[in-house]
Amino acid sequence: MKEQDWKKSVVYQIYPKSFNDTTGNGEGDLRGIIDKLDYLQFLGVDYLWLTPIYDSPMNDNGYDISNYYEINEQFGTKADLRELLDAAHTRGLKVILDIVINHTSTEHEWFKAARQSKESPYRDYYFFKNSQDGPPTNWMSKFGGNAWQFDDQTEEYYLHLFDVTQADLNWNNENVRKALYKILNYWIDFGVDGFRFDVINLISKGAFEDSEAIGKEFYTDGPRVHEYIHEMNRKTFGDKDFMTVGEMSSTTIDHCIQYTQPERQELHSVFNFHHLKVDYKDGEKWTNQKFDLQQLKTILMDWQTGIYEGGGWNAIFWCNHDQPRVVSRFGTDLDEAMRKQSAKTLAIVLHLLQGTPYIYQGEEIGMTDPHFTSIAQYRDVESLNAYHSLKSQGYDEQEILTILGQKSRDNSRTPMQWSADTHAGFTTGTPWIDVSPNYETINVEAALEDQNSIFYMYKQLIALRHTHDIVTYGNIVPRYMGHEQLFVYERNYEGQTWLVVANMTNEPAKLPEDIEREGDIIIENGTVTGGYLEPYGAYVLSIESK
Ligand code: GLC
């Protein structure tokens, strides 16, 4: 593949457990993905990213890997994966595996050996610390509680930035790095086309000291992170026809430029999450808070212009398996017509940005949060921890359910809605998590039949990226940033200018007097009447370059 090709690509994220079940056990599988490849090819995406499918006790749905070389039997076999790769490649689709190398499951052989004895050669694969009076530091796990777990067997603590069953690997140990590169090379040789690296900017831990907050300053974009990622690039995918994207937790623009400048030989692209914290109250996720549009625009545009000017590369997204559904979050799902309108506008705003766009399964049909009404419907370890923590802080049940309804990762993990059949056509058995009640109207079958559906807007936007270089290579210029309802920016490339105008609210928005009106309509979703753009309306205009 030419260097440029991946830049023009669109990635579709699959959460296999919730995508399509062919065995009737209520959980999705690899053969279920094979069955839907024609659909994905018709949508027009270039890459499929599968969240982890390796052996795992599934405490964090596969982000807790117990054997990197085996496929979890829940999802199928290596032969199924081989068939999936071949069937995808035949259709011109490429496949990215998710790889979790900041930590392993505590069920992994390395950890089992490490915990047996202080003398084990695997002891130093992890961070074990002796501490007499409580945990070695006050760092918090991202899933709640202290980040150190006391282990009875050798009476020391081990570090887990996530769940207690996800022990952090010690990248300072060269043997750890070698073992991880071997795993990556195994899957590269197997024929995968890319990796999504889970929380990869946390791999280099700095000093183990108490923190005034939760400790992230000691391990986020840590002291040797660039050195390690560069080394990984050189020892594995660097010279291959390959695509990588790193998930970056609480990172900075400067670091992301460094991670992705091609000459530094680290990664191809990076995700960051700052734009999705605009509905956190005082920085706290587990709150019920309306999103702040001004903040959303400012953060997105800072990252857009910052990364572009620094010669880096963004991965751009509204949704993934850790985030609520965007139409419920930044659009509206209260009214069917407005759901469609706002989902399309959000798609336009995102897909005309600079970077590589990601679509999370179901986003292309405007799937919504399921609005669960009972804690019994939740499955996610982070959400259940948050539930107990909020309970102990004195919140009442209803308040907690409202907060979870807005923030839980399970909002995006409900089964893919394929049809109006039982369980949305996802399974013939009992789904592992409830299907959203609106599947009878919101489903793939209905979307494909309706030429005005959200699906066809996504299809059009994907095609536009393939046919018009301005979408990939154009610079980006924010416009009217102070406008209270509109999100406006332009893209410029080789004497061409595209203007993207979106009303992000449920009220008509007055267009600025001096905004360009003449040009060719590239995309239209909503009309302008008497100088006002309709609620959640948007359009893209090709205008005369200045
Ligand atoms: C990433 C994954 C998330 C997982 C966490 C720990 O943020 O996206 O699902 O829980 O890493 O591996």
Side-chain angles (χ1 to χ4, degrees):
M1 179 169 40
K2 289 197 300 290
E3 202 257 316
Q4 311 299 51
D5 283 355
W6 68 266
K7 289 192 168 170
K8 295 182 75 164
S9 298
V10 177
V11 184
Y12 187 93
Q13 184 192 350
I14 295 178
Y15 198 68
K17 190 169 176 169
S18 300
F19 193 63
N20 186 28
D21 173 21
T22 57
T23 65
N25 72 351
E27 300 189 1
D29 44 62
L30 293 173
R31 305 212 65 82
I33 302 174
I34 298 174
D35 285 353
K36 298 296 181 184
L37 288 175
D38 286 340
Y39 167 73
L40 297 166
Q41 186 183 18
F42 181 62
L43 177 59
V45 294
D46 306 280
Y47 281 88
L48 309 179
W49 149 28
L50 314 186
T51 59
I53 50 172
Y54 320 92
D55 256 0
S56 161
M58 298 296 273
N59 292 330
D60 189 21
N61 285 353
Y63 284 92
D64 45 334
I65 301 176
S66 53
N67 186 343
Y68 292 89
Y69 292 102
E70 291 299 332
I71 304 294
N72 188 333
E73 60 180 30
Q74 157 56 45
F75 294 126
T77 62
K78 243 181 233 178
D80 294 330
L81 181 62
R82 157 79 37 234
E83 200 177 317
L84 169 56
L85 287 178
D86 292 345
H89 291 160
T90 309
R91 291 169 175 79
L93 291 163
K94 296 178 187 300
V95 178
I96 296 178
L97 292 190
D98 206 324
I99 194 105
V100 190
I101 46 182
N102 173 68
H103 46 266
T104 70
S105 163
T106 49
E107 296 295 305
H108 192 286
E109 288 303 324
W110 298 339
F111 190 84
K112 287 204 229 165
R115 107 184 317 171
Q116 287 302 322
S117 122
K118 291 184 187 164
E119 272 68 57
S120 161
Y122 292 100
R123 188 75 170 178
D124 193 40
Y125 270 45
Y126 298 88
F127 296 103
F128 279 91
K129 295 260 181 258
N130 189 338
S131 173
Q132 293 312 317
D133 32 275
T137 70
N138 62 356
W139 301 1
M140 296 285 290
S141 149
K142 289 175 188 282
F143 290 169
N146 189 279
W148 296 94
Q149 175 70 20
F150 186 70
D151 193 49
D152 289 337
Q153 292 187 58
T154 51
E155 304 198 319
E156 287 192 336
Y157 290 84
Y158 67 86
L159 179 70
H160 64 91
L161 295 181
F162 294 89
D163 187 50
V164 292
T165 63
Q166 292 166 302
D168 280 62
L169 283 165
N170 175 12
W171 275 66
N172 300 329
N173 180 340
E174 201 190 348
N175 292 333
V176 169
R177 305 204 300 277
K178 278 193 185 147
L180 294 175
Y181 303 156
K182 197 171 148 205
I183 293 164
L184 300 184
N185 284 324
Y186 173 83
W187 289 112
I188 292 170
D189 293 343
F190 194 87
V192 307
D193 306 291
F195 290 131
R196 178 260 190 196
F197 290 105
D198 192 62
V199 292
I200 196 70
N201 67 325
L202 308 185
I203 57 175
S204 168
K205 273 72 178 178
F208 290 98
E209 288 169 18
D210 267 355
S211 164
E212 284 186 11
I214 60 170
K216 12 184 202 186
E217 66 278 24
F218 294 108
Y219 54 77
T220 303
D221 302 315
R224 296 178 69 183
V225 68
H226 293 286
E227 173 196 332
Y228 292 156
I229 294 180
H230 174 72
E231 180 185 89
M232 174 172 81
N233 169 308
R234 292 293 86 207
K235 302 267 184 201
T236 64
F237 59 83
D239 296 323
K240 310 253 166 19
D241 172 10
F242 213 69
M243 210 270 265
T244 57
V245 56
E247 186 200 27
M248 302 295 168
S249 169
S250 302
T251 185
T252 63
I253 293 177
D254 277 351
H255 276 291
C256 286
I257 291 171
Q258 295 179 52
Y259 290 128
T260 56
Q261 271 177 342
E263 58 275 20
R264 292 181 56 91
Q265 301 179 312
E266 294 187 27
L267 299 171
H268 295 80
S269 57
V270 283
F271 296 116
N272 82 83
F273 298 90
H274 295 283
H275 66 294
L276 296 176
K277 297 184 176 166
V278 298
D279 54 7
Y280 289 16
K281 193 177 198 165
D282 304 326
E284 176 52 46
K285 168 169 171 170
W286 300 106
T287 50
N288 177 30
Q289 175 80 8
K290 207 175 153 323
F291 85 97
D292 181 333
L293 176 59
Q294 291 308 315
Q295 234 188 329
L296 179 71
K297 292 199 290 189
T298 306
I299 295 171
L300 271 177
M301 285 304 143
D302 282 354
W303 275 84
Q304 284 282 299
T305 51
I307 295 282
Y308 183 85
E309 283 157 18
W313 201 260
N314 269 313
I316 46 179
F317 68 105
W318 291 133
C319 300
N320 68 26
H321 64 292
D322 296 328
Q323 300 293 331
R325 292 284 181 181
V326 71
V327 69
S328 305
R329 191 177 199 179
F330 299 151
T332 181
D333 60 14
L334 298 175
D335 165 279
E336 184 51 15
M338 283 293 106
R339 177 187 70 87
K340 278 193 184 163
Q341 180 87 9
S342 63
K344 288 185 202 172
T345 284
L346 286 162
I348 294 167
V349 169
L350 190 101
H351 282 253
L352 270 298
L353 291 177
Q354 213 272 330
T356 301
Y358 282 66
I359 301 170
Y360 176 70
Q361 65 183 44
E363 179 185 337
E364 76 281 14
I365 55 166
M367 273 178 64
T368 69
D369 290 346
H371 304 294
F372 285 159
T373 52
S374 151
I375 189 63
Q377 294 177 287
Y378 286 95
R379 300 285 176 271
D380 170 34
V381 53
E382 186 201 31
S383 307
L384 297 174
N385 287 351
Y387 174 82
H388 294 298
S389 153
L390 292 168
K391 266 261 141 124
S392 67
Q393 292 168 52
Y395 285 77
D396 73 43
E397 186 81 8
Q398 202 44 55
E399 269 177 297
I400 303 178
L401 287 174
T402 306
I403 293 172
L404 290 181
Q406 194 191 53
K407 297 286 166 54
S408 170
R409 306 196 297 181
D410 281 338
N411 281 317
S412 55
R413 297 179 180 184
T414 61
M416 180 72 182
Q417 293 165 207
W418 293 107
S419 70
D421 295 344
T422 320
H423 305 312
F426 162 70
T427 179
T428 53
T430 307
W432 70 277
I433 187 170
D434 285 354
V435 174
S436 176
N438 58 24
Y439 72 93
E440 286 181 25
T441 33
I442 304 174
N443 62 63
V444 168
E445 218 169 84
L448 290 176
E449 276 163 21
D450 172 8
Q451 285 304 317
N452 288 317
S453 69
I454 301 163
F455 176 90
Y456 288 103
M457 175 60 78
Y458 273 88
K459 186 169 162 67
Q460 188 185 349
L461 288 164
I462 297 164
L464 208 60
R465 179 168 295 263
H466 294 150
T467 50
H468 291 75
D469 281 348
I470 188 171
V471 184
T472 304
Y473 301 111
N475 75 354
I476 182 150
V477 182
R479 303 274 308 269
Y480 307 106
M481 285 295 280
H483 198 291
E484 282 176 11
Q485 295 172 276
L486 293 178
F487 196 157
V488 186
Y489 59 84
E490 67 184 41
R491 305 290 309 273
N492 299 287
Y493 185 67
E494 295 188 339
Q496 249 196 321
T497 295
W498 282 13
L499 182 70
V500 180
V501 184
N503 179 358
M504 302 284 284
T505 72
N506 61 1
E507 302 283 341
K510 190 167 191 318
L511 293 174
E513 296 296 338
D514 61 348
I515 199 167
E516 298 87 343
R517 306 288 173 101
E518 301 297 315
D520 297 328
I521 295 273
I522 305 287
I523 291 199
E524 195 166 26
N525 177 43
T527 50
V528 177
T529 326
Y532 282 80
L533 177 57
E534 73 173 279
Y536 294 117
Y539 59 84
V540 181
L541 203 60
S542 169
I543 57 177
E544 193 98 4
S545 278
K546 284 165 265 180

